[in-house]
Amino acid sequence: MTDDTFRPTELSDLECYEFLRSRELGRLAYHLLGEVHIVPVNYAVDDDNRLIFRTAEGSKLFGITMNDDVAFEVDQLLGDEAISVIVRGRAHVLEADSAYVAERVRLRPWINTPKFNVVAIDPNEVTGRRLHMHRPWLSMRG
Amino acid sequence: MTDDTFRPTELSDLECYEFLRSRELGRLAYHLLGEVHIVPVNYAVDDDNRLIFRTAEGSKLFGITMNDDVAFEVDQLLGDEAISVIVRGRAHVLEADSAYVAERVRLRPWINTPKFNVVAIDPNEVTGRRLHMHRPWLSMRG
């Protein structure tokens, strides 16, 4: 087993979006009054490759309204292999007549909120990696 | 089944740290030149309840050196229940004589990097929630 085994493999854009469509839980990082915050989000990908999620009023909505620069991460860990896809982009609240999108995509909110806004993230950059993890304390014994 | 079923349960500090200690993969959100970035990180918790991870030179290290305000999220999805713990705090590179910490905690890097720095996050705020997810498109049929 060579060092190459542990080198990450870059995913293509197509592979990134296939992976994003196959998952439903990601983490949103956003600005809030000069701080960086992170929160788990149930999301879906619409036909225009936008990430769609619902949110009630709160710090998340306030944060992205004040600064629309966001990052989003989705990953999956399978044994010693991991896949991670990271999206950077701009978030904006969809207007009422656009909110129908949320009815068409597979979304289940983490919390049952009767009132909600629908947010879309337009990706500027999508990167994905397939990683082979290892356990250094094992290799150190060698 | 009442609406209360879906209300999140707050975790105590003790439960948050127990959960953090039981996991090894989290996501770090950090500032980078006015942008927010997010990256998956293999971490461990040391005896002082600090989050410890290793990183090579790169944007992550540069970002936290320029602005030490970070957020960190760890979650677990089990069927319709999810646990998510969020840490906000300050990140700093441990000096060489403190880096021994990384030898004492259970860390496996996502990538095999021969040179690395050891970073500690001192938590300012730790919050955790146990969430019951639901599928709105099923309840809507009712």
Side-chain angles (χ1 to χ4, degrees):
Chain A
M1 188 178 286
T2 69
D3 275 357
D4 287 339
T5 311
F6 304 124
R7 296 243 170 85
T9 308
E10 301 288 326
L11 300 185
S12 69
D13 275 9
L14 184 62
E15 289 173 318
C16 286
Y17 280 106
E18 277 178 357
F19 180 73
L20 288 173
R21 287 178 197 282
S22 74
R23 311 289 293 170
E24 61 174 343
L25 176 64
R27 297 90 196 166
L28 174 75
Y30 62 99
H31 302 267
L32 181 64
L33 302 175
E35 295 178 341
V36 62
H37 284 249
I38 188 170
V39 66
V41 165
N42 165 238
Y43 75 98
V45 183
D46 75 2
D47 294 340
D48 298 320
N49 281 350
R50 299 184 300 182
L51 305 185
I52 307 289
F53 62 90
R54 296 199 270 203
T55 181
E57 305 286 334
S59 65
K60 184 168 42 181
L61 190 65
F62 179 72
I64 63 174
T65 304
M66 300 293 286
N67 188 338
D68 64 358
D69 173 71
V70 298
F72 199 87
E73 196 264 355
V74 181
D75 58 48
Q76 185 174 24
L77 185 58
L78 291 170
D80 279 357
E81 183 174 278
I83 293 175
S84 171
V85 171
I86 295 168
V87 175
R88 282 203 19 86
R90 302 280 168 187
H92 57 98
V93 177
L94 292 183
E95 298 303 320
D97 57 356
S98 299
Y100 79 96
V101 171
E103 302 302 320
R104 296 171 54 221
V105 296
R106 187 166 167 265
L107 278 178
R108 56 172 178 173
W110 279 54
I111 310 171
N112 189 22
T113 45
K115 288 186 178 183
F116 59 82
N117 297 274
V118 178
V119 176
I121 299 174
D122 291 310
N124 294 331
E125 186 184 8
V126 178
T127 53
R129 295 189 302 171
R130 183 174 286 108
L131 306 157
H132 293 275
M133 299 172 73
H134 73 135
R135 297 176 174 79
W137 58 89
L138 294 181
S139 61
M140 281 172 186
R141 292 176 191 168
Chain B
M1 188 180 287
T2 69
D3 275 357
D4 286 341
T5 311
F6 303 125
R7 296 242 170 85
T9 309
E10 301 288 327
L11 301 185
S12 68
D13 276 9
L14 184 62
E15 289 172 318
C16 286
Y17 280 106
E18 278 178 357
F19 181 73
L20 289 172
R21 286 178 197 282
S22 74
R23 311 291 293 171
E24 59 175 344
L25 177 63
R27 297 90 196 168
L28 174 73
Y30 61 99
H31 301 268
L32 182 62
L33 302 175
E35 295 177 342
V36 62
H37 284 250
I38 188 170
V39 65
V41 166
N42 166 238
Y43 75 98
V45 183
D46 76 1
D47 294 340
D48 299 320
N49 281 350
R50 298 183 303 182
L51 304 185
I52 307 289
F53 62 91
R54 296 199 272 203
T55 181
E57 305 287 333
S59 65
K60 183 168 44 182
L61 191 63
F62 179 73
I64 63 174
T65 303
M66 299 294 285
N67 187 338
D68 65 358
D69 173 70
V70 297
F72 199 87
E73 195 264 356
V74 181
D75 57 49
Q76 186 175 23
L77 185 59
L78 290 169
D80 279 357
E81 183 173 279
I83 294 175
S84 171
V85 171
I86 295 167
V87 175
R88 285 205 13 90
R90 301 282 169 185
H92 57 97
V93 177
L94 291 183
E95 298 302 318
D97 58 355
S98 299
Y100 78 97
V101 171
E103 303 302 319
R104 297 171 56 221
V105 297
R106 188 166 166 265
L107 277 178
R108 55 172 179 172
W110 278 52
I111 311 170
N112 188 23
T113 45
K115 287 186 176 183
F116 59 81
N117 297 272
V118 178
V119 176
I121 299 174
D122 291 309
N124 294 331
E125 184 183 9
V126 179
T127 53
R129 296 189 300 172
R130 183 175 286 109
L131 307 157
H132 293 276
M133 300 172 73
H134 75 136
R135 296 175 175 81
W137 58 89
L138 293 181
S139 61
M140 282 173 186
R141 292 177 189 167

